[in-house]
Amino acid sequence: MSTPTRLAAGTSMGAVTLNVADLDAMTAYYRDGVGLSVLEQAGPQVTLGRPGRPAVVLVHTPGLRHASPRDAGLFHTAILFDTEAALASAVYSVARLRPGSFTGSSDHLVSKAFYFDDPEGNGVELYWDRDRTQWSWTHGRVEMNTLFLDPNAFLRDHLDERGLAGEPIGDARVGHIHLSVGDVETARDFYSTKLGFDVTLSLGDQAVFVSAGGYHHHMAMNVWNSRGAGRRRQTLGLGRVDIEVPSPDDVGELTERMRHYRVPVRDDGRTVAFEDPWANAVRLSVATTPPATAETPTPEPGPEAEPTGTGPDQD
């Protein structure tokens, strides 16, 4: 191929779009719980995030059915906070708003993460990254684990008066998206070979993690609930994944690459949209805001390395 085969180092995740049955309840969850601001509300659609940075787009589609847990689709949306105090504030607010929605917490070595289900059963991860200088890489693979993280101790250590008052703190954005897919090898081929992410971690035939620019992962795909799943029908839940790249040239290169691999695309000159093998909708566009963290060189690809933690609790 004459075009680059990798996504640009400054690639990041944009907003995730969710099809929802109860727009008011879902808006309240992401606004009053997670701490995102309503940026725009137009008819059946609400966009939430932080000023200038949409994170979640809710589309009222009450005629759609809920997906089966065995279907392909969204595993979780991961909202990244810039400080532990900001993360503690969000965790506290969500736990107060929906006390039965907490599903777990883990120290992943690169990050600290807390897991919830939103009111319509969509997985939500709230997390904070350790500094990249503290991440460990071996042969192009990042070291991650699933270590015990006491949520009560975390709140005692990091929840301040602003968090107790329910005040949103700092920055919040989509850090990564985790999908349920039918098989890992097909996911690796699509998201790495075709789309152009680098593989950063592999859990055999269970899951694969990918990123651009040396991040631990911008996307992950697993079969923990969905092994063998086929193409999705339109349902409540995941509507679209957005990916942001630094320049229009990056959009053009991706368009050429997908056409080379005969992936049908919709190109309007500013964005390129396509579907993965399970009919998950993906759209790539030029970022309107800079990446949250400084870029670091992408580690050189190396042989597959098994991670130190496995199983559905892995981030």
Side-chain angles (χ1 to χ4, degrees), residues 43 46 53 58 95 106 115 177 179 192 203 211 227 231 253 286 293:
V46 178
R53 196 193 303 277
L58 305 175
S106 294
Y115 298 93
I177 296 290
L179 299 178
S192 181
L203 297 174
S211 83
R227 186 182 297 276
R231 290 177 63 82
E253 289 167 359
V286 177
T293 56

Side-chain angles (χ1 to χ4, degrees), residues 151-167:
N152 294 314
F154 181 85
L155 293 179
R156 283 196 301 269
D157 291 342
H158 301 291
L159 187 64
D160 60 21
E161 292 182 358
R162 297 172 298 169
L164 286 168
E167 177 183 338

Side-chain angles (χ1 to χ4, degrees), residues 291-314:
T293 56
E295 297 173 11
T296 57
T298 304
E300 290 297 321
E304 294 287 342
E306 287 302 311
T308 53
T310 60
D313 290 332
Q314 181 75 37

Side-chain angles (χ1 to χ4, degrees), residues 78-303:
I79 306 295
L80 172 63
F81 294 86
D82 58 347
T83 66
E84 289 179 280
L87 173 59
S89 176
V91 169
Y92 179 70
S93 293
V94 171
R96 288 187 64 191
L97 183 69
R98 291 186 60 83
S101 66
F102 176 69
T103 60
S105 54
S106 294
D107 184 330
H108 293 301
L109 301 182
V110 296
S111 63
K112 295 181 181 180
F114 297 84
Y115 298 93
F116 299 87
D117 287 333
D118 75 14
E120 297 193 0
N122 299 295
V124 179
E125 175 185 342
L126 308 177
Y127 78 111
W128 164 81
D129 276 337
R130 289 187 169 88
D131 189 86
R132 289 191 182 208
T133 60
Q134 300 180 51
W135 303 354
S136 177
W137 295 82
T138 303
H139 302 302
R141 300 295 186 260
V142 67
E143 182 183 1
M144 294 177 63
N145 207 325
T146 302
L147 305 178
F148 174 71
L149 176 61
D150 185 333
N152 294 314
F154 181 85
L155 293 179
R156 283 196 301 269
D157 291 342
H158 301 291
L159 187 64
D160 60 21
E161 292 182 358
R162 297 172 298 169
L164 286 168
E167 177 183 338
I169 302 171
D171 187 38
R173 60 180 295 151
V174 176
H176 65 267
I177 296 290
H178 201 142
L179 299 178
S180 295
V181 298
D183 75 275
V184 168
E185 283 308 311
T186 300
R188 183 197 308 269
D189 176 69
F190 184 84
Y191 284 97
S192 181
T193 303
K194 294 181 173 68
L195 183 50
F197 280 118
D198 296 310
V199 174
T200 58
L201 187 64
S202 178
L203 297 174
D205 67 350
Q206 299 291 312
V208 61
F209 296 70
V210 299
S211 83
Y215 192 53
H216 52 74
H217 67 296
H218 285 114
M219 297 191 71
M221 288 66 65
N222 77 67
V223 297
W224 295 325
N225 300 317
S226 55
R227 186 182 297 276
R231 290 177 63 82
R232 300 175 59 206
R233 293 178 291 176
Q234 191 175 24
T235 64
L236 296 172
L238 182 63
R240 187 180 69 217
V241 172
D242 271 48
I243 301 170
E244 298 184 344
V245 292
S247 75
D249 287 344
D250 299 312
V251 177
E253 289 167 359
L254 186 277
T255 303
E256 290 185 31
R257 192 158 64 245
M258 298 305 263
R259 285 174 174 162
H260 169 82
Y261 287 112
R262 294 182 170 82
V263 176
V265 299
R266 298 179 298 281
D267 175 17
D268 63 9
R270 297 175 298 107
T271 65
V272 57
F274 46 90
E275 292 182 346
D276 77 3
W278 298 275
N280 294 306
V282 182
R283 185 179 71 174
L284 187 131
S285 61
V286 177
T288 57
T289 55
T293 56
E295 297 173 11
T296 57
T298 304
E300 290 297 321

